[in-house]
Amino acid sequence: MGFIITPATEADIPLLNALIERSGRELSRGYYTPAQTEAALKYVFGVDSRLVADGSYLVVREREEIVACGGWSRRRTLYGGDQRPMGRDELLDPAKDAARIRAFFVAPEHARRGIGRLLLEACAAAAREAGFRRLELMATLPGVPLYEACGFRAVAARTDVLPDGTALAFVQMERP
């Protein structure tokens, strides 16, 4: 595998949002209806530019192409992009709080090649270096199998009713 992981930059954001749109549409099939997917793209799936500014949103490149993105956060926000972040922006306490795993998306043509796992372990290592002992995330239904395979366990099923009235199922998960 010739993958390189680097922090995302502000200049990457348009490319990342395009990747997220393609990933969300393709990889959500069979998990969410087309209407749910479109609502998720409008209200949930997207880059959180605060993570980019914090240096904790990462991109995976194969040659020059961005093939995946995802990050971790020391902030309380659990999920959502710039269009609708879910949670407060305050900093977490590594001694008692779990770092957040955020906004993982893989280009559909690169799915199921170990890229998500590679990215997740890079985020876990960075969170550990920052003093965190636990990880927490809000998984989309297509993401649950990856997170389970990486040692996360379900804490609670959640439903987010989006501003347009669409109900979207998630699974809150955690891991030491």
Side-chain angles (χ1 to χ4, degrees):
M1 292 194 288
F3 301 120
I4 297 171
I5 300 175
T6 61
T9 67
E10 193 173 313
D12 292 327
I13 291 175
L15 294 172
L16 296 175
N17 278 323
L19 174 110
I20 289 168
E21 188 174 316
R22 284 189 317 108
S23 179
R25 282 200 178 100
E26 292 293 319
L27 300 180
S28 292
R29 285 189 186 140
Y31 293 94
Y32 296 123
T33 66
Q36 287 173 312
T37 298
E38 292 307 312
L41 287 166
K42 183 175 182 180
Y43 297 111
V44 182
F45 299 169
V47 174
D48 179 340
S49 58
R50 173 65 112 185
L51 297 178
V52 175
D54 286 347
S56 63
Y57 200 61
L58 307 176
V59 297
V60 179
R61 295 178 195 273
E62 186 175 47
R63 297 178 201 91
E64 295 300 313
E65 179 187 7
I66 296 175
V67 298
C69 55
W72 73 279
S73 181
R74 57 178 52 91
R75 297 180 185 281
R76 195 154 302 281
T77 302
L78 188 55
Y79 68 101
D82 287 343
Q83 71 275 39
R84 185 174 166 262
M86 297 301 291
R88 298 182 313 267
D89 199 35
E90 67 193 36
L91 293 175
L92 298 165
D93 178 354
K96 64 180 182 177
D97 296 318
R100 308 302 198 233
I101 296 296
R102 302 277 313 279
F104 269 57
F105 295 92
V106 176
E109 62 277 12
H110 293 279
R112 293 164 194 79
R113 291 178 49 199
I115 298 170
R117 182 183 296 264
L118 180 73
L119 184 57
L120 183 60
E121 292 312 319
C123 289
R128 192 170 31 256
E129 278 183 35
F132 288 93
R133 297 184 302 244
R134 292 181 304 117
L135 301 173
E136 183 178 22
L137 59 85
M138 188 66 79
T140 60
L141 298 183
V144 169
L146 166 67
Y147 299 124
E148 286 178 337
C150 292
F152 282 81
R153 68 175 184 84
V155 174
R158 304 279 186 212
T159 300
D160 185 357
V161 178
L162 304 179
D164 67 359
T166 302
L168 200 64
F170 292 95
V171 178
Q172 189 171 348
M173 304 181 84
E174 66 179 22
R175 138 181 158 182

